[in-house]
Amino acid sequence: MGTTVADLLKLNIYRENARVVAPEGLKNEVQYFTVMEAPDFHFDSLAAHVFILTTLSAHHDSLEEINRIIRGLCEANVAAIGIKLGRFINEIDPSTIEIVQEYNVPLITFSQNVLFREILSSSLALISDTQRVIIDQINIMNRELFDAILHHCSWKQLIKLLCDKVECYGCCMDAMGTRIAEASSLTVDLDVNAVRAAMDRFFAQQEEAARQNYMQCGNIIIFPCRAQQEFLGVLCIVVEDNRTELVLPLAEAIVNALSVKFLEHNLKVQTEREMVASILDDVLFSEHKDENAIIDRLALLNFEPQEHHVLVVIKERDNDFSDRNSSRTLDVIQNLFQQRFESTIVFVRGSRYIALLSYKNEKKAATMSKIMEYCSTAIEKATHQRLDIGCSIPVTDFREMPECYQQAKHALQYGRMVHPESRVYLYDDYFEMGLISYGLHTNAGDTFFKRIINPILEYDRKYKSELWPTLECCFFHSTLENVSAKLYIHISTLRYRLQKIQALTGYNYFDIKGRMSLYMAYLLYKVSQEQ
């Protein structure tokens, strides 16, 4: 640890010539000394951890001036104030003592016989010796860490190296906040709630906090572990006091070692994920005649098939996929699905996350939708990304997985077209659009374009009208009153537009067959636009 005011008081020069008038703050660390005798002393020039020596020669004529100077020093966060008595002042006024007590700054008086140079000589010698010890400890720690990395020591053994040097608690967490290892040499009870609150604050400000060297909340210090510009995890330490001269460099050395450990761990995880992707690529994109061959392949991934299976495709709404964040997002998705399905595998393919889920009991579409809604919200909260989820129809045969993949993709595609405000799309709700998509580039599909779609769009372009948006709005509202309110037009104007559509296409919106034909044309157009 660094030299404290209490350490200095143990020196002979202090024991023989000093008296503590205000003992608050004796644990304050001292790194420098400054003699203050000039009348135009500038408080903003003071460095942290400074011990002020003065006779108050320039300010002794007025108690008000003395207290102004003392308050200014306290507000500058000095480590301690030492005043020599017998030259310009003979005693310390109670009002002055109240000021230093308010700021927890120790106030020490010296006898008139002692010289400032004697105080400085003894004090600086102790500070130099302490700093030399600190440097030696840092060098020893670096050597021990180098040996620990070479011998593949565990996470806990690395943290314990710090706890052996400093009385502290330390824990290492991954980028998701999952605790990996911890160790402690504290002699007092750990305030678990304070640690949890500090970690919550760190992860709430993760992007900003991860760019700093550390974040401190009282005696809790959180260090981000980084490598190759990627945030990998954190080291959280709790020290018994706020002295950081030794704690910070030792902890930063541990952080460097943990970052190497994280890189090794991530390389192993990446290798495992590449194997998962290879096997699932084979399952999803190859034709298999024997389902048992697929089950055997999945067994290599410790996947235990249940009775029902669905495939889920997850994609960022803004298509802003980042390899840097994909690993953490994948872990979040995996953990959420594992809590709700008996067997789960998640992997990354291109800019999509793909999840194969298997479960025992049949789940209705409404139940599956609620599960996916919850997972979508939880993923966004944990990763700060807006992700959309497309889910296939459940199957009982793994040989249908290629078709399930297409369904999940199309659920996302059609759902975003028809319900862009949503973020969970089940193919159950959009399978008719899948059927309609088969009509594209066929004679029947071309007929819909010639008879319905093109005439309406050409009329809108030519006369700058809004027949097509009006028709679209009609399909999403149950009554004409709701449609007119949504479009801010009179209901008679709405009826006129629908009659104009009939005149252009021959299909009457108010007739069941006509409305169905117009709706199919609308869906066919939406599918064609997306493709």
Side-chain angles (χ1 to χ4, degrees), residues 134-394:
I134 290 173
I135 293 172
D136 289 342
Q137 287 183 285
I138 293 172
N139 290 334
I140 292 171
M141 169 70 86
N142 287 329
R143 288 195 295 271
E144 290 177 350
L145 283 173
F146 184 75
D147 290 339
I149 292 172
L150 287 179
H151 291 88
H152 303 287
C153 286
S154 66
W155 304 88
K156 183 173 183 177
Q157 287 172 315
L158 291 175
I159 299 172
K160 192 173 182 301
L161 287 175
L162 176 63
C163 296
D164 290 342
K165 301 287 186 300
V166 181
E167 288 187 6
C168 69
Y169 162 83
C171 71
C172 177
M173 301 182 187
D174 63 19
M176 293 174 56
T178 303
R179 187 170 301 177
I180 297 175
E182 61 183 341
S184 179
S185 58
L186 285 177
T187 57
V188 296
D189 292 336
L190 177 68
D191 188 343
V192 177
N193 291 330
V195 174
R196 186 178 294 115
M199 291 305 306
D200 289 344
R201 178 182 167 192
F202 178 89
F203 280 104
Q205 312 170 18
Q206 180 181 317
E207 288 191 12
E208 178 184 350
R211 289 193 294 267
Q212 302 173 3
N213 290 331
Y214 62 89
M215 185 182 85
Q216 186 165 359
C217 305
N219 66 334
I220 302 170
I221 311 175
I222 302 171
F223 300 82
C225 298
R226 294 181 294 248
Q228 299 173 349
Q229 297 183 330
E230 183 177 0
F231 171 62
L232 304 173
V234 297
L235 170 66
C236 174
I237 65 171
V238 182
V239 293
E240 286 201 6
D241 53 52
N242 292 327
R243 291 182 290 177
T244 57
E245 186 171 331
L246 176 61
V247 173
L248 289 179
L250 292 182
E252 287 168 354
I254 295 291
V255 167
N256 292 333
L258 290 174
S259 297
V260 174
K261 196 79 174 171
F262 272 118
L263 282 176
E264 293 175 348
H265 173 73
N266 288 358
L267 182 61
K268 179 182 177 183
V269 169
Q270 184 63 31
T271 302
E272 293 172 351
R273 287 176 177 170
E274 287 174 359
M275 183 178 74
V276 170
S278 174
I279 291 175
L280 290 186
D281 269 355
D282 178 61
V283 172
L284 295 178
F285 306 109
S286 300
E287 184 177 345
H288 294 272
K289 295 182 179 180
D290 184 3
E291 186 184 18
N292 288 326
I294 300 176
I295 294 173
D296 290 341
R297 294 278 281 161
L298 293 175
L300 297 174
L301 307 177
N302 297 318
F303 185 87
E304 298 180 5
Q306 306 297 316
E307 188 173 345
H308 306 277
H309 327 295
V310 295
L311 202 73
V312 174
V313 173
I314 303 171
K315 202 171 190 304
E316 288 201 46
R317 168 58 61 99
D318 300 324
N319 294 320
D320 187 22
F321 182 82
S322 170
D323 284 331
R324 182 180 301 176
N325 299 322
S326 65
S327 179
R328 179 168 183 265
T329 302
L330 188 147
D331 287 336
V332 171
I333 296 171
Q334 179 82 33
N335 290 338
L336 281 168
F337 284 151
Q338 277 180 339
Q339 296 169 18
R340 286 156 186 82
F341 298 93
E342 282 81 354
S343 292
T344 300
I345 302 178
V346 183
F347 74 111
V348 178
R349 190 172 197 272
S351 61
R352 299 183 178 95
Y353 301 93
I354 301 176
L356 174 58
L357 313 174
S358 191
Y359 52 96
K360 283 183 182 179
N361 302 321
E362 185 177 357
K363 300 183 190 297
K364 294 183 178 180
T367 302
M368 186 66 75
S369 180
K370 286 182 179 179
I371 293 173
M372 294 300 161
E373 287 282 359
Y374 173 83
C375 290
S376 176
T377 302
I379 292 168
E380 183 174 351
K381 182 178 179 180
T383 65
H384 307 291
Q385 301 173 71
R386 173 68 188 271
L387 299 174
D388 293 339
I389 296 178
C391 186
S392 74
I393 293 174

Side-chain angles (χ1 to χ4, degrees), residues 477-487 489 491 494-495:
H477 294 84
S478 57
T479 66
L480 294 184
E481 288 78 6
N482 290 341
V483 175
S484 62
K486 181 69 175 178
L487 296 175
I489 59 175
I491 196 167
L494 174 60
R495 289 183 180 276

